[in-house]
Amino acid sequence: MTRDTGLPDYMNERVFCRNRLPPRAYFLPANQTSLSGRWRFHYSSSPLEPEPSQRETDAWSLIDVPGHWQLQGWGHPHYTNFDYPFPTNPPYVPSENPTGLYETTFSVPDHWDIDGGFTYRLRFEGVDSAYQVLVNGKDIGYNQGSRNAAEFDISDVIQYGGKLNTLQVEVYQWSDGSYIEDQDQWWLSGIFRDVLLLAFPQKGHIEDFFIRTELDDQYTDAELNISLAFALTSAASVTFTLFDSNGQITSPPEIRNLSPDATEHSCNLLVSNPSKWTAEHPNLYRLHITLSSEGQTLQEITQKVGFRKVELKDGLVQVNGKPIQFRGVNRHDHHPRFGRAVPLDFIKHDLRLMKQHNVNAVRCSHYPNDPRLVQFANEIGLYVMDEADLECHGMGVDIGNVPSDDPAWKGAYLDRMHQLVHRDKNNPSVIMWSLGNESFFGQNHVAMYQWSKKYDPTRLVHYEGDHSYQASDIASSMYTSISDLVNLATADGDKWEKPVLLQEYGHAMGNGPGALKEYQDTFNKYRRLQGGFIWEWANHGLLKELEDGSGKSFYAYGGDFGDIPNDGNFVMDGLCTSEHLPGPGLVELKKVYQPVTASMNGESMVLKNRYDFMSLEHLEYTWSISHFSQEGEEQQLVSNTEQLRGYKIGPGSELSVGPFNQSVTGCDLSQPETWLKISFRSQAKLPWAGYGHEIAWAEFRLDQRAAASKLPLIKSLQSPTIREQGTTLQITAPTFSIAFDPIQARIVKWIYKGTTMIADKAGPQLTFWRAPTDNDKPSAANVWRGWGLQRMTQQVRSVKHVVSKSTGSLKINVRSWVAPPVLAWGFETSTMYTIHSDGKLLINVQASPKGSAPNILPRVGLEMMVPKDREYAQWFGLGPGQTYRDMKEAGKIGIWKRSLEDMMVNYEMPQENGNRTETRWVKVIDERGIGIRATLQREQNPTLLARNESSATARALSPSSPLGTWEMVHRPKQQSVTRPGFDFSVSKYTAADLDQAQHPHELKGSEGVIFRIDDDHHGLGSASCGPDTLEEHQLKMRDFDFTVSLEATGI
């Protein structure tokens, strides 16, 4: 082991490579073979332990390459957000430094030249975190920089003629490089990307090339600049041939002679009005580079070329002369079984899914992702912010020794920038380099920036940590509140030098994020704001088998592997699940990011093109008008599909369609709940989606909304029979029986035509708690717990009942004090149960807070349990997926039906889920359609006990009332009155169950189905790492007054 200043290479910040070849553009020669597969492996706790001999067979095992040893039985995964899992003392690492010795054998393929006509290289695409390479027992070199490639020349030691070569790679889990690889992800070690054997012709080969496209001032004609680095032993020529997407040669091939005395050559090709590359129009050409000598083709390289120009112009990021808006996401390399050893198909799946959900940009956080990602982004059209493998966030505990401002680390910082830029420089999708993430700021960032701008002036450079913008072309920020974002957008008036971009926002941890629409509205309103990147694309759960022998698995997070310290489930913060399947957050984002928006202007609909480059001619739209009846039927009144081809609807322009009135549509638009719906779909098959893929949609209510109707008065021919039986009040009629317990002040039994409607002793009760979401936990949940909202109790003050002479219905009024133990605040409540002789049940709730109370609440509504066979929900409102007051843009109006399983969202950390908002009515039913139908109205009910009822017919039930005679109660309308519809959820789990479980397999389940009908519900926000719930989406403490109607259905 080579040492400098007495330190091993892996503890010397000045040594980050030995004998490694210079970084170059990513391309693989014709003669290449993969060495990936099953390797021999020896694991030890320290690199100082002696290497086992080949005869010690027990010391060797087999391991998959690429892969991580922690996911194959050695050591364990470890998750921290930014804390180092070892003492912070750079460049030193723990003495217990797990080391993996990898070994494999290979031979040079028979069809390759074996007479010395080739030079041979080993290429490592990614090894974590540092490693020493030996071939046939000879020391080849050393490298660190886990997510960067490294090549080593092994020509002097390789054996030909079918002889086996032995390759050994000694990998160290910790190195000084670990201090600047402190990204928010799992600490995983080993050879996790491919290993390749490459052969280049010794007579001559291209070492590197750099392609740049320059557009003229009108962004029309182009110049293709090509810089070659090569090695020759004799004179040669290079031919450049450019093909368009149809395979046609764009201009005569350009032939240049090369001298063996030279090592570099530049060539400029003029291209007349090429099709330009953008994320919306990913037009690609193919450049063939052919190196020949004495009539022999030595090397051929094909590189895809996109003609585009990126610049900072008029204070904005512009592509081909036009400002763009980033509708982006942050993406880590992650696979639930393989960690960062991500298969190519999985990468392509990610990018296709992004495009399908209207994402146009991806930030490679926080390191160069697999090199094939940017190549696929070239093809399908995604802007890429390509980021250096650099983060030292954990140095916040020793801010005076941050490597970013230490000259001893300058070489390591620059090397990581060189590696990034050289590898990906020929990809048009890469429009911006990033100097890394959360590494504070120092002179080494300035050096990285200066080198990047000098070597590649065609791209912008980003770094959020530079708040003075010495080393960033962008005014970048993260998790900025909307109000602060507006301040940034307007601080410099109409004159600014650099645009504002959110490198991270909308923290998608668990149930959320909320307020994506409000962020997008803000981006659209202020020209200086050019969008941002959601944090983040997918959860990082690792599949782990349960230890109970069941063979079942779950998605593990920090602490599940005995990893201490850890940051728990903070690694589960994605729009997608750990299997990279769309979660509710991604569905919401698609709607918010949609490039076509619509609004109503009188009777006409105004379409807005929010693409940056495309017209809308590639879309067709279907509009329809439907009427929804209270009986649960949707009647489509008219429908039509029209083309947008021929309409000049360029970027930023608008088109008015319609009018949609009765004379034009032929429909009666005055009926309640009459809706206009419009859907925009692709007219052709796309590289990332099929024909007819929905790009955008909108819907509008056409009828004039009337004031909320009053609950109907029901006149009965026969009043229900009432009798006391033990401690309960028995209410019976020909079709139903209800048992009411005045001690608990709740319905304990409800049977309709022989069918049980509610579970035993589980009738509706006023509740306020919800299982905290990940976004609740940092702040709101602590406040709620402090106020005891998770353990509210009811003290019954009085129970009275009376039979109405006018309707024949029974009214039971309960006055209670609903409050937590210990504390001196609560709600004075009056709950009026009205039971009609036809079996319909009305529950009016009036709740008024008293004492020093919390400012916000989780929710407020009635909660009950229905029999477990009620496994379906059908409702009229927003659906089909979950919706909340600040996360409902993806909800479509309709009559929906879903199973209980589909009503819930199985978050990998259990929490509140499955709410539906803006509901008109809901049924919770069994497979035959039998169950309960519920509605909620927010109309004032000033009469607690009508004065015109005979006092002789009213009877107080134990306990007696300390509140005296009933009174007329008048309350002003509350905020919830203005909200359309109500919220509801159905679940197998109680809020307490969801609150206590740390993983889905720990959920116990209930004996029935938990059915919640909410008057109001607090929003979600993104406070797990970002702003709290916007004030307009908070459930503020106030008086509540609402009425829930329950009736049997399907019988």
Side-chain angles (χ1 to χ4, degrees), residues 405-690:
D405 204 37
D406 186 344
W409 290 81
K410 179 179 179 180
Y413 273 58
L414 281 172
D415 180 65
R416 289 167 186 261
M417 199 66 196
H418 295 169
Q419 292 274 15
L420 168 72
V421 172
H422 282 295
R423 194 195 75 171
D424 292 343
K425 60 192 174 188
N426 293 325
N427 293 279
S429 59
V430 179
I431 67 169
M432 193 180 305
W433 305 117
S434 177
L435 306 183
N437 184 66
E438 294 179 322
S439 297
F440 309 96
F441 181 67
Q443 58 184 293
N444 296 333
H445 288 116
V446 176
M448 295 168 74
Y449 176 83
Q450 291 174 344
W451 177 86
S452 300
K453 298 298 285 187
K454 181 178 181 181
Y455 181 77
D456 179 20
T458 68
R459 290 181 174 92
L460 303 180
V461 177
H462 161 275
Y463 182 59
E464 183 273 335
D466 174 19
H467 303 300
S468 60
Y469 314 131
Q470 302 173 56
S472 180
D473 298 321
I474 309 295
S476 178
S477 64
M478 55 199 299
Y479 306 114
T480 309
S481 69
I482 291 175
S483 59
D484 288 344
L485 198 57
V486 172
N487 291 336
L488 287 173
T490 57
D492 298 319
D494 292 329
K495 294 182 180 180
W496 63 82
E497 294 183 1
K498 297 181 179 181
V500 174
L501 184 66
L502 290 183
Q503 73 163 19
E504 297 172 21
Y505 80 105
H507 198 255
M509 187 175 179
N511 193 350
L516 290 181
K517 177 185 183 295
E518 287 78 1
Y519 271 102
Q520 192 62 34
D521 288 346
T522 307
F523 296 151
N524 292 337
K525 183 176 181 179
Y526 297 96
R527 196 168 63 91
R528 189 180 184 183
L529 304 180
Q530 289 199 263
F533 298 82
I534 295 291
W535 187 268
E536 66 173 305
W537 174 246
N539 290 351
H540 292 222
L542 295 175
L543 204 62
K544 183 183 180 185
E545 190 170 316
L546 291 172
E547 297 176 357
D548 60 3
S550 64
K552 297 180 180 179
S553 300
F554 68 101
Y555 296 103
Y557 48 76
D560 286 333
F561 296 97
D563 44 320
I564 299 173
N566 67 77
D567 285 298
N569 70 315
F570 201 69
V571 76
M572 308 295 238
D573 52 4
L575 296 165
C576 296
T577 69
S578 292
E579 289 288 346
H580 292 222
L581 299 175
L586 184 57
V587 177
E588 178 82 355
L589 187 70
K590 177 182 179 178
K591 182 65 169 71
V592 170
Y593 273 0
Q594 65 182 21
V596 186
T597 56
S599 59
M600 293 300 291
N601 183 12
E603 296 178 340
S604 296
M605 185 189 307
V606 179
L607 309 182
K608 173 85 170 182
N609 180 358
R610 295 196 179 277
Y611 283 110
D612 295 321
F613 297 93
M614 297 177 71
S615 72
L616 300 185
E617 293 188 43
H618 65 295
L619 300 176
E620 65 180 19
Y621 72 94
T622 299
W623 63 268
S624 64
I625 296 176
S626 294
H627 166 64
F628 296 92
S629 71
Q630 287 298 316
E631 289 71 37
E633 295 180 355
E634 177 181 1
Q635 179 185 6
Q636 189 175 94
L637 306 177
V638 64
S639 176
N640 192 28
T641 298
E642 300 185 24
Q643 308 293 320
L644 287 169
R645 187 176 291 116
Y647 291 96
K648 294 183 179 180
I649 318 173
S653 63
E654 297 180 345
L655 174 70
S656 180
V657 295
F660 296 95
N661 55 34
Q662 187 165 333
S663 62
V664 172
T665 65
C667 302
D668 179 4
L669 306 182
S670 64
Q671 298 181 77
E673 301 288 1
T674 299
W675 287 80
L676 169 64
K677 300 182 179 183
I678 187 168
S679 173
F680 300 87
R681 297 180 180 272
S682 63
Q683 296 189 68
K685 184 178 180 180
L686 302 169
W688 40 269

Side-chain angles (χ1 to χ4, degrees), residues 1 8 10-11 43-49 69 86 91-100 128-130 142 170-176 178 189:
M1 185 182 302
Y10 59 81
M11 276 199 290
Y43 178 82
S44 60
S45 63
S46 168
L48 302 180
E49 288 188 12
W69 69 58
F86 48 78
Y92 301 101
V93 300
S95 299
E96 185 176 345
N97 186 4
T99 300
D128 195 321
S129 76
Y142 169 83
E170 187 175 62
V171 181
Y172 315 118
Q173 178 164 336
W174 307 120
S175 69
D176 57 89
S178 301
S189 314

Side-chain angles (χ1 to χ4, degrees), residues 382-409:
L382 284 167
Y383 298 120
V384 176
M385 179 191 285
D386 215 356
E387 192 153 279
D389 188 8
L390 180 62
E391 180 171 342
C392 59
H393 198 171
M395 287 302 302
V397 300
D398 189 15
I399 200 71
N401 291 309
V402 171
S404 300
D405 204 37
D406 186 344
W409 290 81

